[in-house]
Amino acid sequence: MSIIYDRVALIGLGLIAGSMAHAMREGGLAREIVGHARSAETRRTAREIGLCDQVFDSAAEAVAGADLVVLAVPVGAMGDVAAEIAPHLKPGATVTDVGSVKQAVIEAVAPHIPEGVHFIPGHPLAGTEHSGPRAGFATLFLNRWWLLTPLPDSDPQAVARLSQLVRAMGAKTDSMEPAHHDLVLAVTSHAPHLIAYTMVGVADHLRRVTDEEVIQYSAAGFRDFTRIAASDPTMWRDVFLHNKEATLDILGRFTEELFVLQRAIRMGDGQQLHDYFTRTRAIRRGIIEAGQDTEAPDFGRTPGAAKAD
Ligand code: NAP
């Protein structure tokens, strides 16, 4: 693989930035990878494990001379970080972000981007419940989608170069309108996370079922909820605060559907439940056919290895 960007600056050194550093290094996609994180502890860990070629104490120093700057901080912090780095960006550089919400990030970041610097927002649809500088791994993006939401005046050549990097890290890429992105993600990721958080919260509140029972008899359904509900609280707080409209829209529809199913159970309407579950099963098949998950039972877990993933 050949070098796509000479110098890449990662701002925020957590799961996503770390995975990018590993993937770019493995593929030889950048001549130099530098980074910055706000806390001394994260910077120390990043240096210790050699996450980047150089870790700087300030974001300004990290972006100086960078051809690609990646904002990999929580959605709510993007605007402040953009304001801080703006005066230090190299003319002709590309700035991208990996935030899980797009409209709010564009509103917060775009006003700070100087003339002559390309801002191309993006979102890798890949993650785990782990966070921090040690959480990243090179194959995180393999066969996963990485959506770009270019602005109307984004330079096509700059977009093509960023797409090339994303594909070289193993991801598939597509372009989308920011508002549509936020609605799609509300359905596929944001609302499901909130439901998982709620279900785990319900189990916690339900004192008739002891904590030991919940943990000991946690079959696949609940166990998967607990994995999702272990996701980073700061990241997810920001997702809901910044994708408010779309998430509330989907949660409203979810509540309506839940009432329909609740009524079917109360009325003993087995046909309705069966029809509903038949439709949802087809969606799972579609996800497998699209190569976005494994067909192996229980996500391919080894029996008895409940904590293996
Ligand atoms: P992470 O592992 O928690 O790392 C976040 C990084 O941002 C850390 O280096 C942290 O610095 C820094 N940070 C936190 N708050 C900050 C603030 N107020 N100002 C400046 N820096 C701050 O997070 P991540 O999972 O890599 O997520 C980064 C971005 O990717 C988020 O916007 C998220 O929405 C998006 N994303 C996440 C996933 C996922 O599943 N995790 C998937 C796709 C996209 P310290 O360590 O010094 O505190």
Side-chain angles (χ1 to χ4, degrees):
M1 221 49 95
S2 55
I3 291 170
I4 299 172
Y5 291 97
D6 216 36
R7 181 181 166 112
V8 176
L10 304 168
I11 308 301
L13 293 173
L15 169 72
I16 301 294
S19 297
M20 287 184 73
H22 290 299
M24 287 189 290
R25 197 169 268 167
E26 244 185 58
L29 309 176
R31 190 182 54 78
E32 192 184 15
I33 303 167
V34 302
H36 162 77
R38 69 175 172 168
S39 72
E41 195 190 336
T42 297
R43 295 196 297 271
R44 194 165 42 245
T45 306
R47 285 180 185 123
E48 203 178 288
I49 62 175
L51 195 62
C52 304
D53 299 316
Q54 266 196 90
V55 175
F56 290 97
D57 288 344
S58 77
E61 288 171 281
V63 304
D67 304 286
L68 175 69
V69 174
V70 182
L71 308 181
V73 298
V75 165
M78 296 278 184
D80 285 349
V81 170
E84 190 184 339
I85 62 169
H88 310 280
L89 293 167
K90 174 173 145 178
T94 290
V95 174
T96 189
D97 76 289
V98 294
S100 307
V101 174
K102 295 280 49 96
Q103 284 184 113
V105 168
I106 292 169
E107 277 164 30
V109 171
H112 299 292
I113 302 295
E115 193 76 21
V117 171
H118 309 289
F119 175 42
I120 307 167
H123 178 202
L125 307 190
T128 74
E129 68 277 28
H130 300 297
S131 51
R134 293 184 192 274
F137 54 100
T139 53
L140 178 67
F141 310 115
L142 209 58
N143 295 324
R144 309 307 297 270
W145 285 100
W146 193 308
L147 300 175
L148 298 180
T149 61
L151 307 179
D153 58 353
S154 289
D155 174 31
Q157 275 186 340
V159 175
R161 194 169 170 199
L162 182 59
S163 303
Q164 193 192 346
L165 176 75
V166 163
R167 283 196 302 273
M169 288 190 291
K172 304 186 282 186
T173 182
D174 209 352
S175 289
M176 214 179 246
E177 282 285 312
H180 189 62
H181 166 280
D182 289 355
L183 182 63
V184 170
L185 267 292
V187 178
T188 57
S189 169
H190 305 167
H193 268 82
L194 199 74
I195 292 160
Y197 280 122
T198 315
M199 197 57 228
V200 175
V202 167
D204 187 39
H205 289 135
L206 197 67
R207 290 299 165 201
R208 274 177 298 165
V209 180
T210 65
D211 287 354
E212 291 76 39
E213 281 174 314
V214 168
I215 293 163
Q216 188 171 333
Y217 303 126
S218 155
F222 185 75
R223 204 173 63 199
D224 292 333
F225 277 140
T226 61
R227 189 186 64 75
I228 296 172
S231 301
D232 186 68
T234 307
M235 170 189 157
W236 284 97
R237 176 204 63 198
D238 281 10
V239 166
F240 294 116
L241 293 181
H242 294 88
N243 197 18
K244 192 171 171 176
E245 310 274 300
T247 311
L248 288 178
D249 178 13
I250 299 307
L251 286 173
R253 289 162 198 248
F254 173 81
T255 314
E256 286 170 20
E257 299 275 317
L258 195 62
F259 278 133
V260 168
L261 292 180
Q262 198 173 323
R263 186 165 192 281
I265 295 169
R266 192 181 309 286
M267 305 303 282
D269 189 344
Q271 188 63 48
Q272 185 171 7
L273 294 173
H274 193 271
D275 289 350
Y276 201 97
F277 302 157
T278 304
R279 283 206 307 278
T280 55
R281 190 178 218 189
I283 292 175
R284 171 77 189 155
R285 291 215 184 292
I287 291 172
I288 291 162
E289 277 160 28
Q292 293 298 299
D293 208 347
T294 170
E295 195 168 14
D298 198 16
F299 307 101
R301 289 181 180 117
T302 320
K307 291 176 188 154
D309 65 310

